Amino acid sequence: MRISNRKRVLVTGGAGFLGSHLCERLLSEGCDVLSVDNFYSGTRDNIAHLFANPRFELIRHDITFPLYIEVDEIYNLACPASPIHYQRDPVQTTKTSVHGAINMLGLAKRTKARILQASTSEVYGDPEVHPQPEGYWGRVNPIGIRSCYDEGKRCAETLFFDYHRQHGLEVKVVRIFNTYGPRMHPNDGRVVSNFIVQALRGEDITIYGDGSQTRSFCYVSDLIDGFVRMMASEPVLTGPLNMGNPVEYTILELAESILGLVGGRSRLVFKPLPQDDPRQRKPDISLASTALRWEPQVSLPDGLSATVAYFRGLLDL
Ligand code: NAD
Ligand code: UDP
């Protein structure tokens, strides 16, 4: 028998960068939050400040194994997101996306929960359409070093839409473009955390390639707001739906902005470009903007300042 009327929300990957911010937001809205994580790339530290809240629960669990709990909504975020982390154990990465999706969709089916998938702009691969609208099918190498992540996420999307068509599940698929902010892992190799940590330590800033490749950077609070709006939207809005900041920067411009903020004596050094590194990436967010009235609010300088302050505290610099 159900005693409380509060919504019980499961966040897989709840101890990770995005998951920890999402747990915080859901608690602030009065939900009961169950965070499931196997700590592959996340840490208890990211959510330690939530332990005192009686509406928060942490379960150590690997979503490649079935999970039997009772929930009303599921945000499926579990999956390492940085190339260094997802390439460390590529087989586990694919399993997390594919077996994990099957398990979480099975849970959603049994509990009749609405389920949101954290998909990625990587489903577009190295795109030849720019900016990328949701209708673009992508250009992904199926056998490269990024494939465990890209193809795993593509297969997860397939599973979400098949469960929707075959079993009538209420699904929401969000394709996230590069997102940054406090609680990114300092050693995860992603460009924003790498450059900030290098600049704060006075080390060389490592530009891969000539730095002319582009990315669009979304601040974490904007993305979390989009997640919550998407989950609350009409059932007919399944996605896939792009979420990210459409303002595009070259990697060189990003390095210069971070150096400008941090100051110090770091030099820019150029290293080989990793295999299959996309040349350009920028979301077309027309769908999110019309269907959810969602647009990013935080500018890159403001978001970077908050992120620099976080890493300064973390590294004690
Ligand atoms: P993250 O690595 O900080 O968080 C992922 C979390 O999932 C970690 O806490 C990790 O321990 C956990 N996890 C991994 N495998 C698991 C498993 N088998 N069972 C249970 N927990 C597991 O990454 P993030 O940046 O917070 O990304 C969260 C989600 O958003 C991921 O699915 C990622 O693919 C997606 N995403 C993120 C970005 C971004 O820019 N941050 C971009 C596109 C997509
Ligand atoms: N990058 C870089 N130096 C670094 C880390 C990353 O020049 O120290 C580049 C990387 O090659 C890519 C871009 O920055 O072109 C974004 O990399 P990230 O790993 O953050 O995300 P993704 O490639 O998945 O978008």
Side-chain angles (χ1 to χ4, degrees):
M1 187 183 67
R2 183 127 181 240
I3 295 172
S4 161
N5 284 328
R6 276 195 298 265
K7 209 186 276 177
R8 290 160 308 185
V9 186
L10 168 63
V11 178
T12 77
F17 160 49
L18 297 179
S20 63
H21 288 275
L22 178 61
C23 289
E24 225 168 64
R25 167 75 189 258
L26 294 169
L27 285 169
S28 78
E29 294 192 353
C31 302
D32 282 340
V33 177
L34 288 98
S35 165
V36 162
D37 207 294
N38 70 348
F39 305 115
Y40 178 90
S41 54
T43 69
R44 287 170 62 89
D45 290 348
N46 283 339
I47 42 170
H49 60 295
L50 305 178
F51 291 162
N53 189 328
R55 285 188 269 116
F56 181 71
E57 200 175 333
L58 171 64
I59 306 170
R60 180 190 285 264
H61 175 78
D62 180 332
I63 63 156
T64 63
F65 297 97
L67 177 66
Y68 290 91
I69 53 174
E70 305 309 314
V71 287
D72 303 308
E73 281 178 358
I74 304 170
Y75 289 85
N76 187 36
L77 272 61
C79 184
S82 87
I84 287 188
H85 286 154
Y86 70 66
Q87 286 165 14
R88 191 170 72 216
D89 188 347
V91 173
Q92 170 69 9
T93 299
T94 304
K95 276 189 185 171
T96 293
S97 279
V98 178
H99 293 194
I102 291 170
N103 289 327
M104 292 307 106
L105 286 160
L107 175 63
K109 184 172 161 226
R110 183 177 62 76
T111 57
K112 301 190 172 42
R114 187 175 275 202
I115 181 167
L116 180 147
Q117 167 70 353
S119 191
T120 169
S121 53
E122 293 284 331
V123 300
Y124 300 123
D126 190 3
E128 65 273 85
V129 170
H130 193 73
Q132 293 83 53
E134 289 86 354
Y136 174 54
W137 289 355
R139 186 164 78 110
V140 175
N141 176 356
I143 56 164
I145 56 171
R146 293 174 87 103
S147 312
C148 58
Y149 184 73
D150 302 7
E151 296 289 19
K153 289 285 189 179
R154 286 171 69 95
C155 184
E157 286 200 7
T158 307
L159 285 161
F160 267 67
F161 282 91
D162 281 334
Y163 268 78
H164 174 63
R165 284 184 288 256
Q166 197 175 331
H167 299 297
L169 252 66
E170 283 189 21
V171 301
K172 307 272 173 191
V173 174
V174 176
R175 291 182 178 156
I176 308 165
F177 285 65
N178 299 59
T179 301
Y180 70 99
R183 301 199 203 116
M184 294 184 87
H185 197 290
N187 300 325
D188 73 4
R190 283 188 267 192
V191 68
V192 173
S193 44
N194 258 17
F195 286 0
I196 293 180
V197 169
Q198 289 164 344
L200 285 171
R201 289 184 170 147
E203 294 167 357
D204 291 345
I205 307 272
T206 52
I207 311 265
Y208 301 159
D210 62 5
S212 63
Q213 70 272 35
T214 67
R215 294 293 186 275
S216 312
F217 300 100
C218 183
Y219 189 64
V220 60
S221 58
D222 282 332
L223 184 83
I224 299 302
D225 187 55
F227 272 7
V228 172
R229 283 177 195 234
M230 182 62 170
M231 186 61 109
S233 65
E234 293 298 314
V236 63
L237 186 67
T238 55
L241 175 140
N242 288 340
M243 241 170 224
N245 193 320
V247 184
E248 188 179 9
Y249 291 88
T250 66
I251 293 305
L252 208 50
E253 285 167 342
L254 177 75
E256 279 155 2
S257 302
I258 290 175
L259 265 182
L261 267 174
V262 175
R265 54 197 157 71
S266 295
R267 295 172 312 141
L268 303 184
V269 296
F270 293 85
K271 303 266 185 190
L273 194 65
Q275 191 194 322
D276 295 335
D277 199 273
R279 281 286 320 146
Q280 51 183 9
R281 195 186 285 143
K282 164 181 159 140
D284 176 336
I285 59 162
S286 338
L287 178 59
S289 129
T290 45
L292 300 177
R293 292 183 211 285
W294 177 85
E295 269 170 30
Q297 305 296 317
V298 182
S299 69
L300 188 68
D302 287 351
L304 285 179
S305 298
T307 313
V308 167
Y310 166 78
F311 278 112
R312 232 185 251 289
L314 186 77
L315 304 173
D316 206 12
L317 292 168

